[in-house]
Amino acid sequence: MTSNWKIFASTEEIFAALTAQLVALSARKAHVSLSGGSTPQGWFRMLAQPACATAVRWENLHFWWGDERCVPPDAEESNFGAAQRLLLSHVPLPPGNIHRIRGEENPESEALRYAAEIRQHVPVGASGLPSFDWVLLGMGDDGHTASLFPGQTDFAEPNLTMVAQHPVSGQKRVSKSAALLMAGQRVDYLVTGAGKAALLRDIRDLDANPAARAQSPWPAARILSLYGETTWYLDLSAASLMGGMQARR
Ligand code: 6PG
């Protein structure tokens, strides 16, 4: 489990790179697990533009979510709702290929239902767990990813999904488990902004100390691809404290 740090001069350049990856991936059937929060929303807007939208073979893609807030799908805070407004309502992704977590349902029963839907559709990988072709994650400024928060994440959780609670707001979430996220064929992070720069520097420093990484309190430091390299897509602001990192040309 190693990390590859890709620094871009702007978020637009990051989104263009992610779009190229999605276009390539869409040449065949693929299951993609999207991150929530605000960062990917600029990418969704780019993907909805005709130039991008016509390059992607949407019929081959299945979209899933790493986590969801326990709110209705049309709520402002809904991760699915944001993707629906910004992207899904603008592109010909077949409705049956949209696998949202139903935030309006009882969290415990929805976690079980979502796990069953994953098992029904997503092929099992070498780890023995369903293996998403691409898991895209974000990172909070406390080091959480998906809805796996510091101090409340069981990295040995045997289930594919679980119910979490935001440590500040108390908001319930349904999230994929650490093991399921790590079982993805590719696991990448999209992180931007200066607010996360110090934490990213500390996480990057763990590259040289796997034993310390394994004990890190930050889920984003520990949830990496089991199968290879985890790529971090950062803008210059997010990478500003990492030293020696140049924007890609
Ligand atoms: C969520 C996300 C969460 C998010 C980070 C970063 O539901 O909030 O899954 O893990 O990726 O909190 O959020 P921002 O992109 O808004 O900074």
Side-chain angles (χ1 to χ4, degrees), residues 23 36 46 69 80 90-91 102 106 109 115 121 127 129-130 135-136 147 160-162 178 188 197 201 217 222 225 236:
V23 168
M46 177 182 282
R69 292 86 180 272
F80 161 77
H90 302 281
V91 296
R102 300 171 186 169
N106 169 276
S109 58
H121 291 273
S127 70
L129 294 180
V135 175
L136 195 63
S147 285
L160 300 183
T161 59
M162 24 76 79
D188 294 332
R201 175 204 52 213
R222 294 173 63 171
S225 173
L236 281 171

Side-chain angles (χ1 to χ4, degrees), residues 35-40 67-69 79 137-140 144-147 173 196:
S35 58
S38 58
T39 304
D67 68 327
E68 185 57 275
R69 292 86 180 272
N79 288 330
L137 295 170
M139 185 188 78
H144 80 261
T145 189
S147 285
R173 309 279 189 89
K196 300 172 184 176

Side-chain angles (χ1 to χ4, degrees), residues 204-216:
R204 194 279 307 269
D205 289 351
L206 291 173
D207 284 352
N209 191 342
R213 177 192 293 283
Q215 299 301 318
S216 170

Side-chain angles (χ1 to χ4, degrees), residues 11-27:
T11 54
E12 287 70 23
E13 289 177 59
I14 301 178
F15 298 153
L18 294 176
T19 298
Q21 301 277 345
L22 192 70
V23 168
L25 195 65
S26 71

